[in-house]
Amino acid sequence: MANQSAPFSRFEWLIAWRYLRARRADGGVSVMTWISLIGIMLAVAALIITLAVRAGFRDEFVDTILGSNAHVTVYNTVTVDDFGNTTRTMADYAERAAAIAEVPGVTRVAPLVKGQVMANNNQSNSGVQVFGIAADDLLGIPRIANPETAQGDITRFSEGIAIGSGVARELGAGLGDRIKLISPNGVKTAFGTSPRVSAYEVVYIFTAGRYDIDRTRVYLPFAEAQNYFDRDGVADELEVMVEDPEAVDDLTLALLNAGGERTLLWSWRDASGSFLKALEVEDTVMFVLMSVLVLVASLNIISGLVMLVKNKGRDIGILRTMGLTEGAVMRVFFICGALVGLIGTVMGVIIGCLFATYFDAILAFVNGASGGGVWDASVRGIYKLPAKLEFWDVAKAVGLSLALSFGITIFPARRAARMNPVEALRYE
C-alpha cells in the first residue's frame, strides 16, 4: 500500500509532524528545532528590514533632491565680453525658457539668478546661496512650497525673502525680522570695491527635508535678485522640471535642440549619480551579507535533522520493513526540515514587515533613549530614515530563505532514506 501511495501523502505529513513535536526523551530534537526556527526567523526579519530601510533611504534621498532642486539645469557656455570679462548669463532667457517649455515631458521652466553672499542678523552671520526666482515659479517647487513644513505666508514672497529653517536657526531669525545680505562684489569706486548690503524682511521659512539645503538656501524675488547681483535683463540659468525625473536622460537631445547652440545641461543624475551608484553597490553588499545570515541559520536545520535521523533509526528500520520506500522516508524527513524553514520564514516575514511598518516610531524611541545621537541630519543629509516595504524585496527574502532551507534539508533526508533497516534494527 505504501508503494502505491502518492508522494507527500497524508501519513508522511503525520509522521513528520509527530517527529517535530516529539520531546527529546522520546527521541525528538525539540531544542534544535526551536533553535533552527528562531534563527531562520531572525535572519529573514533582518533581511527584510535591511532591504526596507535601504529602499526608504533611497526614496527619501531622491525625493528631497527632486522636490527642491532642478531636474535639469540649463546654462550657457562661457563667453568673453568686450572688456575681457567671462560670463555665462542669458540675455534671451525668456525666449529660451518658452522654447524649452514646449519640449514634451517638461512641466516647468524657471529663470534663475544665483549668487553666494553673507547673511547677517544682529550679531549672527552665515554664508548662504541666494536663488532669485519668480513667485509663481517658487510655488511650483514641492518641497519648498509645502505648507505643512513651512512658516509664514508664501504669497508675500514678493515683499521680502524666503529662507531655509537651518539659515533661520543659524541667524536666530524669525518671521518679520529683517536680515542683511552682504556681497563683496559691490560698487566699484576710486577707493576700491565697496560691499553691497541690502536688508529684507523674512516672510517665509521653509524646510526642504535636506540639511544642506535648509542650512544654506535663500530665495529672493527674481527682479530684486537681478538688481542686487547686477544682472539687469539677464538670468544665470534655467531650472527645468520634468514629468519623469528617472528618465531625464531621454530628454537630453530635445532640451539641447530647444536651448540653442550655447546650451549646456546638468541633470540631477549628474549631480548625485556617484552617490546613487555607491548606494547600489552597498545594497548588493548588504544583501549578500544578510543572505549569509540566512544560510547560517538554515544550516542549523542539518544539525537538527542529523540528530533526528540518529534518534529515529529504530523507527526508520521498522517503517522500511513494513514496506515504506526510500522515497517515502526521504520525504518524511524532508518535510521535517522544510516545515522548520517554512514556519521560520513566515514568522520572519511577519516580524520584518511589522518592524518596517513601525520603523519611524522605533527609530524615534531609540534616538530618544540614546540622547538623540542615533540620527544626525548634519551628517546624514536627511532628517529621517524611513523604511519602505516593497513586494519584490519581501519576495527575494522569502525565496532565498525557502530555497536554502529546502535545499539543505535534502542531504540529511537522503541519509535517512538510505539507512539499511537491518543495521538500524540489529541492536534493538
Side-chain angles (χ1 to χ4, degrees):
M1 182 179 299
N3 292 328
Q4 298 175 355
S5 63
F8 297 101
S9 298
R10 182 170 179 268
F11 79 90
E12 295 175 358
W13 285 89
L14 289 175
I15 295 173
W17 182 245
R18 182 171 180 177
Y19 284 173
L20 281 178
R21 291 186 305 149
R23 294 174 298 177
R24 188 167 185 177
D26 298 327
V29 284
S30 57
V31 175
M32 290 301 300
T33 300
W34 279 106
I35 291 175
S36 302
L37 191 147
I38 293 173
I40 293 174
M41 176 188 71
L42 295 178
V44 171
L47 179 56
I48 290 175
I49 294 168
T50 300
L51 294 177
V53 171
R54 181 269 304 167
F57 178 81
R58 186 189 186 281
D59 277 10
E60 180 70 13
F61 182 83
V62 171
D63 187 61
T64 55
I65 294 175
L66 301 180
S68 52
N69 291 302
H71 301 163
V72 183
T73 299
V74 178
Y75 57 100
N76 272 346
T77 56
V78 176
T79 58
V80 182
D81 61 19
D82 297 336
F83 301 98
N85 299 318
T86 59
T87 181
R88 289 182 181 272
T89 57
M90 300 179 181
D92 57 344
Y93 63 87
E95 293 79 5
R96 295 173 73 176
I100 292 174
E102 297 296 324
V103 174
V106 173
T107 58
R108 183 176 64 82
V109 183
L112 296 180
V113 172
K114 295 174 67 175
Q116 293 183 338
V117 300
M118 178 71 72
N120 168 266
N121 180 51
N122 297 324
Q123 301 300 316
S124 300
N125 298 286
S126 178
V128 298
Q129 186 174 31
V130 176
F131 283 55
I133 190 172
D136 291 340
D137 293 325
L138 183 64
L139 290 171
I141 306 177
R143 285 272 180 166
I144 304 301
N146 184 2
E148 296 180 0
T149 58
Q151 304 174 43
D153 185 2
I154 196 172
T155 59
R156 293 189 57 217
F157 175 61
S158 58
E159 304 173 15
I161 193 172
I163 65 175
S165 56
V167 176
R169 183 173 57 253
E170 288 292 319
L171 296 178
L175 295 174
D177 291 344
R178 295 183 66 83
I179 65 172
K180 297 177 182 177
L181 298 185
I182 305 170
S183 172
N185 301 318
V187 180
K188 294 182 179 180
T189 67
F191 301 99
T193 302
S194 60
R196 178 181 286 110
V197 181
S198 296
Y200 301 96
E201 179 187 353
V202 177
V203 297
Y204 188 69
I205 300 175
F206 60 84
T207 300
R210 283 187 63 85
Y211 180 84
D212 54 342
I213 293 176
D214 296 334
R215 172 64 181 77
T216 61
R217 188 168 298 183
V218 168
Y219 285 99
L220 198 62
F222 184 71
E224 182 62 34
Q226 284 181 311
N227 180 60
Y228 180 83
F229 290 107
D230 196 18
R231 302 283 203 278
D232 293 335
V234 299
D236 289 323
E237 59 190 41
L238 301 177
E239 180 180 82
V240 180
M241 300 294 189
V242 300
E243 290 179 358
D244 186 7
E246 296 286 351
V248 69
D249 294 337
D250 298 337
L251 299 177
T252 298
L253 184 59
L255 292 174
L256 287 173
N257 291 334
E261 295 181 357
R262 296 180 55 199
T263 299
L264 295 176
L265 303 179
W266 182 257
S267 72
W268 72 275
R269 284 191 174 278
D270 296 325
S272 304
S274 58
F275 184 80
L276 294 177
K277 289 180 180 177
L279 280 182
E280 292 176 1
V281 173
E282 183 181 6
D283 293 344
T284 303
V285 173
M286 291 302 296
F287 183 80
V288 171
L289 292 177
M290 292 296 104
S291 300
V292 172
L293 289 181
V294 178
L295 174 61
V296 172
S298 301
L299 288 175
N300 288 328
I301 296 177
I302 292 182
S303 302
L305 282 184
V306 168
M307 293 179 62
L308 183 63
V309 170
K310 182 178 179 181
N311 293 341
K312 296 298 182 180
R314 178 173 177 272
D315 290 12
I316 295 172
I318 294 174
L319 291 173
R320 289 297 309 280
T321 58
M322 294 175 62
L324 205 66
T325 63
E326 287 188 8
V329 173
M330 179 177 176
R331 288 191 293 272
V332 167
F333 287 93
F334 175 82
I335 291 172
C336 289
L339 279 177
V340 174
L342 180 62
I343 296 172
T345 300
V346 171
M347 294 176 64
V349 169
I350 294 173
I351 293 176
C353 291
L354 287 175
F355 196 99
T357 301
Y358 297 99
F359 185 77
D360 288 343
I362 294 172
L363 183 62
F365 172 78
V366 174
N367 196 43
S370 62
V374 173
W375 191 259
D376 188 353
S378 64
V379 177
R380 316 294 183 183
I382 56 178
Y383 294 114
K384 62 179 181 178
L385 179 62
K388 180 183 179 183
L389 277 174
E390 295 185 347
F391 172 78
W392 289 113
D393 286 341
V394 177
K396 284 192 295 184
V398 171
L400 176 67
S401 177
L402 293 182
L404 291 175
S405 299
F406 291 0
I408 285 174
T409 301
I410 293 175
F411 300 104
R414 289 184 64 186
R415 181 173 180 269
R418 293 179 177 180
M419 182 177 292
N420 189 326
V422 176
E423 293 293 331
L425 297 173
R426 173 175 295 179
Y427 301 104
E428 297 296 334

